Structure formats: structure tokens, C-alpha cells
Amino acid sequence: MKAFILDRYEKKGVLRLGDMPTPTPGDDDVLVEVHAAGLNPLDSKVRDGEFKSLLSYRPPFILGHDVAGTVVRVGANVRAFKVGDEVYARPRDGRIGTFAEFIAIDQADVALKPKSVSMEEAASLPLVALTAWQALVERAKLQKGQKVLIHAGSGGVGAIAIQLAKHLGATVATTTSAANIDLVRSFGADVVVDYKSQAFEQVLSGYDLALNSLDGETLLKSLEVLKPGGKLISISGPPDPAFFRERGLNWALRQALRPLSAGVRRKAKARDASYSFLFMHASGEQLARITALVEAGAVRPVVDRVFPFEALNDALAYLDTGRAKGKVVVKLK
């Protein structure tokens, strides 16, 4: 099968289009023919080698964390899916590889594709929608009437998180550039801060939750908008001790890495707030709930550009500019 292969870790490196064996599905797997694959900043970070210490991928391997396609084979233990089903997924860590014609995925990571959207739109959803769900529902337990700040509202995660937060009944503030104000308002944002002309930490106050996807300076400033008991969740780091425990790191290594988040945790405690790092995980069950929200019109995919599969490196370069509104997708079929 054709696939884009990472031969070595390299900052802004080029993936090689080559031939790889078509995967053989295990007993709990579905083999999916890929129709479209979504791109994420995580792909760039893995390519650049930023996660070498956390994700044990040995080059050469196939990159890619989002997929929509058709089931062409099922394992012996698979009961929830059949050949011909249109599905989407964020394959679990250790089993990525959606930049290819086929991928074998554990059935627990897969959900039926929303019928109301295209393959390209479906491929844009899994990673960002699961991130939003796990931050707002699973981790923060966001309630109706609460106030949440979602940074980078025109980005992949931000666009979905705003919609989900509004569905949950929250008041939503977001940061973006002036050019994207109307766009983020169309997602449901109640308060929009132009980060180029306004300091969000001076404009906003009394928030229950802040979701950060930006740099360390923004992270620390986000503490200033929280009320006592507020929560700061970051998907861009720094990792906290709970994350290292979840990853199964030994005690000595956990202690050595504690200082990474010591500053923000200390400042959060001083403000009677909490800090946690979120590295999203695969979940077909949660994706099925997201499918229901898409079908009901509560959440809509946001796709900036669709590239042909052969132009995947161009798509990654465009993603790396940071100017994409929503998601970048490559189309195979």
C-alpha cells in the first residue's frame, strides 16, 4: 500500500511517499480503507522529535492520528462493526498511521461516521473532538451556567471546544485575531478577545475554567482570569505528575520530571486554583457520543483546506504556518 513514512526525526522534515505492507488486522481490529486523514499539530511535533521520550515510535513508521474510511475486514472478536461500515477514529498511541491507504485499528477506538458529514469532514474530527470532550466533560465536568475561556478559538481544538461548551450550557470566551472574530462567534463564542490589541487577562475575570493550547506565557496569564476553585487545563504542556503516573513512568523519573510543571502548579495553588495537563486518549465510546452531537447539529466540523493525498507534505507545511482555521485534511478517495 502507499503510505507517507517518517524515516527519521527532523524539525519540519519531509515525509517519504513509499510502499508499506498492508496491515493484517488482529482479532480485535478492523481494517479500514482510508478515504481521508486529518492533520494535527501533534503530527508535526512527533515528526520534529518532540515526543521521542514519551511515544516510543522507531523510524521508519507511518504518521497520522485521524482517519475516516470504510471497513474492509474485521477480526474474529469484532461484533460492533462489519465490512462496508463507514467509520472514523483516532487510533491509540503506539498504533497510529493514518497517512496510508489502509490502517488496522482496535475496535475500541472506532465509531460509526456521522452520516450527515463527508469523509473529509469526519476525518477532521476525532482528535480535536476527543480532546474537547476529555477536557470539558471528562476532566472539568463543565456545568450549565459556568464560564470557560478557550484559547485559539479558530484553531482545530478551539473550534470544536467552543461548540461543545455552548452545548453544555456554558458562557464561552475565546481569544483570536480580529480577522477571525465573526468566525468564532459563529461557533457560539459569547466574548471574543482580539489578542493582538487586548490583554485577555485584563478583560476577563471570574472564570471557572481555562483551556490552554498556547505558550507558557499565555498559560500563566490564564490563571489570572480564574475565580477561586477554578481549573486550568493545558493541552500544550507542561506535563504534570499525574500525567507521568498515567504513562507508567517509574518513581525516580517522575521525581526528575516534576519540576517541569512546578511553577504553574505553585502559582495555581496560590490562587486557590488547580492545574492539569491533558494528553488526549483514543475512545470509540466517546466518539460515538460525539457522532450523536454532530447528527443533532450541536457540533459541526470545521475544515480549512483539503489537499490531495500526494500533497501531504504541502498540507503539513500549511498546518505549520499556524494560520489554518479549523482543520487541514488530505483526501485519498
Side-chain angles (χ1 to χ4, degrees), residues 41-182:
L42 178 58
D43 296 309
S44 298
K45 291 178 180 180
V46 171
R47 176 202 62 196
D48 294 350
E50 292 185 24
F51 285 97
K52 282 191 292 186
S53 60
L54 296 175
L55 300 171
S56 55
Y57 299 122
R58 287 188 174 184
F61 64 90
I62 304 169
L63 199 56
H65 293 80
D66 272 330
V67 64
T70 303
V71 175
V72 293
R73 197 183 311 168
V74 299
N77 297 333
V78 175
R79 298 291 181 267
F81 303 98
K82 63 183 186 301
V83 172
D85 281 346
E86 294 187 341
V87 297
Y88 68 152
R90 190 293 204 192
R92 65 188 57 185
D93 295 327
R95 298 195 62 184
I96 64 169
T98 64
F99 298 160
E101 292 181 310
F102 297 91
I103 182 172
I105 313 171
D106 192 296
Q107 63 176 331
D109 301 343
V110 179
L112 293 174
K113 178 188 85 64
K115 295 179 181 179
S116 58
V117 302
S118 67
M119 284 287 187
E120 294 79 25
E121 290 172 320
S124 77
L125 282 170
L127 187 144
V128 294
L130 286 170
T131 300
W133 183 276
Q134 289 163 21
L136 302 180
V137 179
E138 190 174 60
R139 181 74 59 87
K141 296 178 173 56
L142 190 65
Q143 301 295 313
K144 183 177 182 180
Q146 290 188 313
K147 295 166 63 177
V148 55
L149 165 61
I150 296 169
H151 282 293
S154 65
V157 172
I160 302 301
I162 291 172
Q163 296 179 68
L164 179 57
K166 288 304 297 180
H167 171 73
L168 295 171
T171 297
V172 181
T174 193
T175 55
T176 193
S177 65
N180 293 326
I181 288 176
D182 288 342

Side-chain angles (χ1 to χ4, degrees), residues 200-222:
F200 72 89
E201 73 277 12
Q202 297 176 9
V203 176
L204 307 174
S205 62
Y207 276 68
D208 299 276
L209 172 66
L211 177 58
N212 178 62
S213 55
L214 302 174
D215 56 26
E217 182 180 359
T218 303
L219 179 75
L220 293 177
K221 288 180 178 178
S222 297

Side-chain angles (χ1 to χ4, degrees), residues 218-240:
T218 303
L219 179 75
L220 293 177
K221 288 180 178 178
S222 297
L223 287 170
E224 300 178 32
V225 312
L226 296 177
K227 69 181 187 182
K231 299 174 183 177
L232 172 57
I233 298 173
S234 179
I235 62 173
S236 56
D240 59 358

Side-chain angles (χ1 to χ4, degrees), residues 90 93 130 134 138 278-283 286:
R90 190 293 204 192
D93 295 327
L130 286 170
Q134 289 163 21
E138 190 174 60
L278 175 67
F279 193 86
M280 62 76 57
H281 58 86
S283 173
Q286 291 178 356

